[in-house]
Amino acid sequence: MILYIAIAVITIALAYLAGGAGRFVPAADITGTRAQLFGRACLAAIFVILFCVSAFRLNVGNDYATYVEFMHRLYTDKYIADPGVPTEWGFNLLTRAVYAISGKESFILVFAIYAFVTIAVFLIAMWEQSKDFVLSFFMFMTLGLYYQSLSTVRYYLALAIALYCMKLVNERRWITFAALVLIGSGFHKSILLIIPLYLLATIDWKKWQLAIVMVFFVSCLFLQDYYLRILVLLYPSYEGTEYLEGSATSYINIIRCVLVLFLALYCCMDVNDCSIRELLKGKLKGRISPDPVNRFYFYLNLGALALYVFCSFVPVISRIGYYLTVSQLLFVPSLIAGLKDGKKKRIIRTLCVAACVLYFAIYLRRASSDGILILPYRTFFFNDMVDILSNVG
């Protein structure tokens, strides 16, 4: 636990230096290039630290041993009780290529490649899109996104790609967006869901349209069996599995969505100098000019809240929701940056930091529990891999 806290403190300090590069370079040396190089050097240091921690680990993470087993089956073609492995073509192709080139079962190298790409894409996405990189990175670390990438490696690679894809959606680069999602689906097919979800979030919804959507979500409370039958038709592999039991309601994720949406309403009132009544009644047509990017983030979080509240019976709903709530890394800094009053901006930023620190403390207390298992931390320098299923059998 001390290691993870130290990593968070050091990398957040480096992010502070990277985000404020112009403040830490002597005024006489600020030609633009000098400050940019300083910021990029700090960013590179962050990457190296996070990559090394992830790449040097051994049997750290909920799915580590499971992935080693899948890689072993791909390498030896010794399938156990089924005709293959449940992983996607990208994972399988990468594993076969690495094992063929190295001539042995180099699962540590496969995990290192995943870490390299996942961390790089997350950092690039935040660096290029965030209006406050320091706060975005602070949230990335304290909300556990980096640490969870040690546990569910395929999904978090897809999640990093989804965060970067938000830039493509906002720039209306649809072909590149679709191509990148298809590549991501080779490592976790759930990322395909962001194509309809992100497109829906770009719509400037009218009140009556939102009312119709709300009726659909409310119907989920009464027609769960009907919707599950449709789901089984679309995904036959779910039939007869424990996935149909649904997911536990994530109260923490619900609270996060509610807080972010309230912050969005508050910031909108501050920017447009209006009351909550005026805002909700839509009496600001002459004054309000909503930022389409923030509106996109707003609808992503509103959709996530609806999914968490009304659709907990859907298999792995939390993973679907995370494709939407990962936008908070960009949305919250954007909202705070848009506040006109400097004092309010500092207060809200402080409250945000405090909430993230509290979340981080709760997360670390659960870090050794099933579903996470990133504690204790082990490296291949001092530990050996435990026996996997194929070796035991």
Side-chain angles (χ1 to χ4, degrees):
M1 185 179 297
I2 295 176
L3 172 66
Y4 292 149
I5 294 173
I7 292 168
V9 171
I10 294 171
T11 54
I12 290 169
L14 287 168
Y16 178 73
L17 294 176
R23 297 195 302 271
F24 301 105
V25 174
D29 294 332
I30 296 179
T31 62
T33 303
R34 189 74 173 252
Q36 289 173 359
L37 287 175
F38 180 76
R40 289 171 183 172
C42 294
L43 194 64
I46 293 172
F47 172 80
V48 170
I49 292 172
L50 298 183
F51 170 72
C52 288
V53 171
S54 184
F56 293 165
R57 78 189 191 279
L58 181 74
N59 200 25
V60 175
N62 189 62
D63 296 332
Y64 195 100
T66 302
Y67 283 133
V68 174
E69 168 69 20
F70 292 159
M71 294 178 203
H72 176 73
R73 296 186 193 182
L74 289 167
Y75 182 64
T76 62
D77 291 326
K78 293 179 181 178
Y79 299 114
I80 300 175
D82 57 27
V85 293
T87 46
E88 293 81 0
W89 61 266
F91 176 90
N92 300 344
L93 181 62
L94 175 63
T95 299
R96 290 182 183 278
V98 171
Y99 279 26
I101 293 171
S102 61
K104 59 181 180 179
E105 298 189 46
S106 304
F107 56 87
I108 291 175
L109 181 55
V110 176
F111 283 114
I113 293 172
Y114 263 95
F116 185 97
V117 178
T118 301
I119 297 167
V121 175
F122 264 122
L123 289 177
I124 292 171
M126 290 185 287
W127 184 259
E128 292 185 352
Q129 296 181 76
S130 180
K131 292 184 178 180
D132 184 347
F133 173 75
V134 180
L135 183 56
S136 290
F137 183 79
F138 181 86
M139 294 174 65
F140 173 68
M141 295 300 294
T142 55
L143 294 180
L145 292 172
Y146 166 69
Y147 299 103
Q148 272 303 107
S149 71
L150 305 179
S151 186
T152 49
V153 295
R154 287 167 44 247
Y155 174 72
Y156 270 80
L157 173 59
L159 192 64
I161 293 173
L163 183 65
Y164 184 82
C165 281
M166 292 181 188
K167 174 183 179 180
L168 304 178
V169 171
N170 289 321
E171 294 176 354
R172 300 298 191 265
R173 294 163 58 186
W174 304 119
I175 295 178
T176 307
F177 167 61
L180 194 55
V181 171
L182 289 176
I183 293 173
S185 69
F187 299 90
H188 206 287
K189 61 186 176 182
S190 65
I191 195 176
L192 292 171
L193 291 170
I194 75 172
I195 293 179
L197 292 175
Y198 284 13
L199 293 180
L200 287 172
T202 62
I203 299 173
D204 187 6
W205 292 84
K206 308 299 181 185
K207 289 183 179 179
W208 65 269
Q209 294 172 324
L210 289 174
I212 293 176
V213 174
M214 188 63 187
V215 170
F216 164 75
F217 277 114
V218 172
S219 72
C220 291
L221 299 176
F222 307 100
L223 302 174
Q224 292 185 11
D225 292 339
Y226 175 75
Y227 289 133
L228 280 177
R229 285 198 295 271
I230 296 176
L231 187 65
V232 169
L233 291 176
L234 296 174
Y235 294 96
S237 60
Y238 282 150
E239 188 170 9
T241 67
E242 61 182 6
Y243 289 117
L244 291 184
E245 297 177 6
S247 305
T249 301
S250 177
Y251 294 106
I252 291 181
N253 286 331
I254 290 174
I255 292 171
R256 274 176 55 184
C257 288
V258 170
L259 291 176
V260 169
L261 292 173
F262 269 116
L263 176 61
L265 293 176
Y266 175 81
C267 291
C268 186
M269 290 188 295
D270 179 80
V271 170
N272 293 279
D273 192 22
C274 66
S275 66
I276 185 67
R277 179 177 297 180
E278 288 178 310
L279 181 64
L280 295 178
K281 287 188 175 182
K283 294 182 178 180
L284 304 173
K285 292 183 179 179
R287 285 182 284 167
I288 192 169
S289 179
D291 180 354
V293 175
N294 279 348
R295 186 181 64 209
F296 170 64
Y297 298 148
F298 179 87
Y299 282 130
L300 287 180
N301 283 272
L302 185 63
L305 178 61
L307 288 174
Y308 287 135
V309 172
F310 297 104
C311 302
S312 61
F313 65 93
V314 175
V316 292
I317 191 64
S318 61
R319 290 191 174 184
I320 300 173
Y322 259 86
Y323 282 127
L324 307 180
T325 59
V326 72
S327 63
Q328 293 172 3
L329 298 180
L330 308 173
F331 191 28
V332 172
S334 178
L335 290 172
I336 296 176
L339 290 171
K340 295 183 294 184
D341 189 314
K343 183 178 180 180
K344 289 182 180 179
K345 185 181 296 188
R346 288 190 296 272
I347 292 173
I348 293 178
R349 201 170 191 271
T350 301
L351 291 174
C352 177
V353 168
C356 289
V357 170
L358 177 61
Y359 186 97
F360 189 47
I362 296 172
Y363 176 81
L364 287 182
R365 285 181 61 87
R366 299 172 54 240
S368 60
S369 61
D370 290 339
I372 302 178
L373 288 179
I374 61 170
L375 283 176
Y377 180 81
R378 310 178 188 87
T379 76
F380 60 79
F381 295 114
F382 307 109
N383 299 273
D384 295 320
M385 183 61 193
V386 298
D387 287 335
I388 57 175
L389 181 60
S390 294
N391 294 336
V392 174

